[in-house]
Amino acid sequence: KGVDYIVHPYPKFLDSDDFYEYLEETKDVIDFYIKNESPISYRLLLKRVLDSYSISRVGNRIKETFDRLLPKYHNMTGDVKFYWSEPGFRVFSYRVGSKDREFIDIPKEEICLCINDIMKEKLCCTRDELIHYVVVAFGYSKVTDISKKVINISIDLSIALKNLREDDGLLYLFSR
């Protein structure tokens, strides 16, 4: 089952000038969000960090400073980078709740867990049905092009990992 997605606000007041002034502190803010909201997309991590400094616009200088302070390890879901609290870390639940992150900010690993839960209940369905079930499970009301793309990546990963199989347009849990 999914667990609620929890946003962890940075516990200290920060001034927007501090973003450039105290790079060690800015790195600590980045690390705080990676530790508490991992896996977290690049886009959402940037938003959380800038919100902590009450910065609303992203310019080249901010982006360059932010990128320089990021850890080197990440993985991808499509063309979206995700940062993890440590390399090789695994997820054991998927986080639901659509008000705190957009579908593009959900990593394929969480979606795969959701897919497994849905397929244990449904046993068999088409890709389009599964996409709809996943969107609803994460708390969203409609399928978008982005959600469809990300879920299809996750379905393909589940098939590659032999968690799902696809026969004649239908998806099944892979029986081992």
Side-chain angles (χ1 to χ4, degrees):
K1 265 314 210 193
V3 297
D4 287 338
Y5 185 84
I6 298 170
V7 175
H8 298 272
Y10 193 69
K12 190 174 160 186
F13 174 77
L14 300 166
D15 186 77
S16 60
D17 294 333
D18 294 346
F19 183 82
Y20 302 109
E21 197 93 13
Y22 304 103
L23 291 180
E24 229 10 80
E25 174 82 27
T26 304
K27 175 82 172 97
D28 289 345
V29 175
I30 290 170
D31 291 344
F32 171 85
Y33 284 109
I34 290 173
K35 178 179 179 267
N36 288 290
E37 295 191 33
S38 171
I40 185 169
S41 69
Y42 173 91
R43 194 186 73 78
L44 192 55
L45 178 58
L46 178 61
K47 179 185 180 326
R48 296 274 192 266
V49 171
L50 296 185
D51 284 352
S52 296
Y53 286 95
S54 300
I55 297 173
S56 58
R57 294 182 192 204
V58 180
N60 287 337
R61 184 173 171 218
I62 287 175
K63 195 168 174 337
E64 287 169 8
T65 302
F66 180 77
D67 288 350
R68 197 172 64 247
L69 297 172
L70 286 172
K72 300 296 176 228
Y73 55 88
H74 64 272
N75 76 349
M76 306 290 284
T77 296
D79 54 359
V80 179
K81 284 183 185 177
F82 283 87
Y83 291 88
W84 295 70
S85 56
E86 56 190 72
F89 181 79
R90 295 186 56 201
V91 293
F92 298 99
S93 60
Y94 54 96
R95 300 168 292 171
V96 299
S98 60
K99 69 181 181 13
D100 295 314
R101 63 179 177 171
E102 293 179 27
F103 211 92
I104 193 76
D105 298 314
I106 303 172
K108 63 184 176 284
E109 294 82 1
E110 286 186 39
I111 296 171
C112 286
L113 290 175
C114 180
I115 287 170
N116 283 348
D117 281 357
I118 290 167
M119 292 305 292
K120 285 176 189 171
E121 183 182 314
K122 301 292 181 190
L123 302 178
C124 168
C125 62
T126 66
R127 268 187 189 252
D128 285 340
E129 289 169 333
L130 183 55
I131 288 167
H132 173 75
Y133 297 143
V134 170
V135 165
V136 170
F138 276 99
Y140 297 87
S141 57
K142 65 180 183 170
V143 174
T144 64
D145 289 342
I146 288 174
S147 62
K148 192 172 188 171
K149 176 184 174 186
V150 173
I151 295 167
N152 271 315
I153 289 169
S154 303
I155 290 170
D156 292 341
L157 177 61
S158 290
I159 291 169
L161 294 172
K162 300 209 180 294
N163 293 327
L164 284 183
R165 66 183 171 86
E166 190 168 23
D167 289 324
D168 294 327
L170 294 174
L171 296 165
Y172 302 89
L173 274 177
F174 196 86
S175 47
R176 294 184 166 106

